[in-house]
Amino acid sequence: MRPQRVTSIPQPIATATAAAPEKASNYRWVVMGLIFCIWAIACADRANFGIALPYMKKEFHITNTEAGLIVSLFSFAYAIVQIPVGLLYRRLGEKASRYFLAICMVLTSVFTGLMATTSSVLLLQLYRVGLGLSEGPLGIGCTNVINRWFPPQEKGLATGIWIAASKLGPLMVPSIGLIVIAIWGWREIFYVFAVPGLLFSVLWMLLVTNSPDQSRYCTPAERRYIQGEGDPAAGQRLHPTAERMQLRKMPLLDFINRTKPVTRLTTVKQVCLSWNIIGVALGYGCMIGISNIFMSWIPTYLITVKGFAAVKMGFLASAPFIGAVSGNMIGGLISDRLLDGRRKPMMLLGAVGTTLMMCLLVEAPDSAVYLGCTLLVSGLMLGIGFAGYSAYAMGLATKATYPTAFGIVNFLGQIGGAVAPLAVGMLLDHYGWSSVFMYMVGTALLCVVLVLSVVEPVAEPDR
């Protein structure tokens, strides 16, 4: 029997085969796509009230102050759950990302649909509270998933995309709402917007796991990249460290920005006592307040004060959110790619730009072109710094304390957002629209002062 000849693999070929780079997936962007859709739908569910408001005021004989209160009840309820939910996410860790978020999305859709069945002002108020309590955990859930699924150098962009979704929802609402009203009526708006949330909650359960390590679609190479261990051989860019420890020198910017090394916030007490967190949260409240005024009151302003027809009103009411969608992504890209993760510059630019644009709206002429351009740029300025408020805490807190930190930011932010629509209703019942825009000027200026008061943190890596 002739012995079989064993063919050995030459050593250089074997070595080359062993050293072949592992192909990395990009499944984190699929997760980001679902986050984008879910958050856009949730924000549309809260914004559709503004389109229906003129019809509700007529049917239920609602005053401006009462209308402002109904709008604000959502934000108050949303704010109340922020800190408890942040603590809950901290306790549950990765276990909460999948199931809890899907349940809250279902409840958000249910309360959106219930708005169509209302027969009194009291029910309107109760359903708005239910919507706020249901939607409240979604923001923390989305940012918590971003914090776990993205490497440090992509968190600003991912957060910017998430914030852009919050403006895309209100951007779609006027056009869809006017079509639904023309075909059926104002009540059917809420039925139409309730359906997508139910569908995407099912997709979320099927496609998203609590962390990259549990996903069968996320390759080991992508998991290492998410953990800050990028492999250049696999086409992945290495980050200087796991977090923002090595910044390019920008002496003048860092002097104005007050960039300085800080110690990470590792306990809930440190988070609660940090002026950097509280100052950013209060500034966030100023910006959310202006955004909520655009969302809830601008359609009424365009119809009752400027006398525009429904179609033109729908286009103009969308203008701020067209600008905001662009601003959110531009701000996140600039912050990540050009400023090495510095968040304050975009927040300051947005606050200063918003102040200037609100001044131009105080005595705006009855010109669709002027109002369209001004509202568009206002949205751009408002949106360009929005991602920074959410991403700022990622560079200061650990992954364990981040949900609590963002809970505080979102709590105070939503309180500011809740006060604004109610204040507008009271101002309109006693003064007029010029006082409303002056209120927005003062709010934006306060945001400038608050953002200037915090530091730009350079924290040690989160291990």
Side-chain angles (χ1 to χ4, degrees), residues 411-453:
F411 168 72
L412 294 177
Q414 294 301 326
I415 290 294
V419 169
L422 178 58
V424 169
M426 297 173 67
L427 287 170
L428 289 177
D429 279 340
H430 294 87
Y431 302 101
W433 275 97
S434 293
S435 65
V436 172
F437 289 115
M438 287 304 300
Y439 169 81
M440 294 164 78
V441 170
T443 301
L445 277 175
L446 177 60
C447 181
V448 174
V449 174
L450 289 167
V451 174
L452 284 172
S453 72

Side-chain angles (χ1 to χ4, degrees), residues 108-154:
T108 297
S109 295
V110 169
F111 278 103
T112 299
L114 286 174
M115 292 289 292
T117 68
T118 187
S119 58
S120 67
V121 174
L122 177 60
L123 284 176
L124 279 175
Q125 294 171 342
L126 292 176
Y127 292 152
R128 287 290 288 183
V129 170
L131 183 65
L133 294 175
S134 302
E135 193 177 316
L138 291 179
I140 298 178
C142 289
T143 56
N144 194 34
V145 173
I146 290 172
N147 201 29
R148 294 184 183 280
W149 272 85
F150 282 85
Q153 66 270 29
E154 292 177 354

Side-chain angles (χ1 to χ4, degrees), residues 26-297:
N26 288 299
Y27 192 71
R28 65 191 182 281
W29 293 108
V30 175
V31 175
M32 188 67 239
L34 287 172
I35 291 173
F36 182 90
C37 293
I38 285 174
W39 193 235
I41 292 166
C43 292
D45 288 343
R46 74 174 77 162
N48 51 29
F49 187 84
I51 297 299
L53 181 58
Y55 304 93
M56 289 180 173
K57 287 180 67 179
K58 184 177 179 180
E59 181 171 331
F60 296 110
H61 307 290
I62 301 173
T63 66
N64 288 318
T65 301
E66 288 174 334
L69 176 62
I70 295 171
V71 173
S72 295
L73 281 173
F74 166 85
S75 296
F76 280 123
Y78 188 103
I80 287 171
V81 301
Q82 294 306 300
I83 294 178
V85 168
L87 294 171
L88 178 63
Y89 270 109
R90 182 175 183 270
R91 175 175 291 275
L92 297 178
E94 296 179 355
K95 298 177 183 177
S97 301
R98 185 183 186 190
Y99 301 103
F100 191 44
L101 192 146
I103 291 170
C104 291
M105 191 68 216
V106 170
L107 291 174
T108 297
S109 295
V110 169
F111 278 103
T112 299
L114 286 174
M115 292 289 292
T117 68
T118 187
S119 58
S120 67
V121 174
L122 177 60
L123 284 176
L124 279 175
Q125 294 171 342
L126 292 176
Y127 292 152
R128 287 290 288 183
V129 170
L131 183 65
L133 294 175
S134 302
E135 193 177 316
L138 291 179
I140 298 178
C142 289
T143 56
N144 194 34
V145 173
I146 290 172
N147 201 29
R148 294 184 183 280
W149 272 85
F150 282 85
Q153 66 270 29
E154 292 177 354
K155 286 179 181 178
L157 174 59
T159 305
I161 294 172
W162 170 68
I163 294 290
S166 70
K167 304 301 181 293
L168 180 64
L171 169 61
M172 298 184 300
V173 164
S175 300
I176 298 174
L178 290 174
I179 292 172
V180 173
I181 289 173
I183 298 174
W184 295 298
W186 68 263
R187 292 179 182 273
E188 282 71 17
I189 291 175
F190 300 105
Y191 287 134
V192 169
F193 280 95
V195 174
L198 298 174
L199 297 177
F200 272 91
S201 62
V202 175
L203 286 176
W204 180 266
M205 289 295 296
L206 294 175
L207 298 176
V208 180
T209 55
N210 296 321
S211 69
D213 292 338
Q214 298 172 359
S215 175
R216 61 178 177 174
Y217 303 110
C218 184
T219 63
E222 184 178 13
R223 292 170 195 161
R224 290 195 299 271
Y225 180 62
I226 291 170
Q227 294 167 1
E229 303 170 2
D231 180 9
Q236 301 167 350
R237 181 170 62 89
L238 278 169
H239 200 251
T241 63
E243 291 287 350
R244 294 165 18 194
M245 281 296 288
Q246 298 179 9
L247 301 179
R248 283 177 295 169
K249 292 184 178 180
M250 301 178 183
L252 180 60
L253 177 62
D254 284 333
F255 174 76
I256 299 172
N257 210 36
R258 298 181 63 212
T259 304
K260 59 177 63 176
V262 297
T263 303
R264 280 195 179 276
L265 306 175
T266 57
T267 66
V268 172
K269 181 179 179 180
Q270 290 174 344
V271 170
C272 293
L273 296 179
S274 170
W275 171 252
N276 292 321
I277 296 293
I278 294 172
V280 164
L282 293 173
Y284 191 41
C286 294
M287 292 292 100
I288 290 182
I290 295 173
S291 179
N292 283 356
I293 293 172
F294 280 141
M295 194 182 302
S296 57
W297 280 108

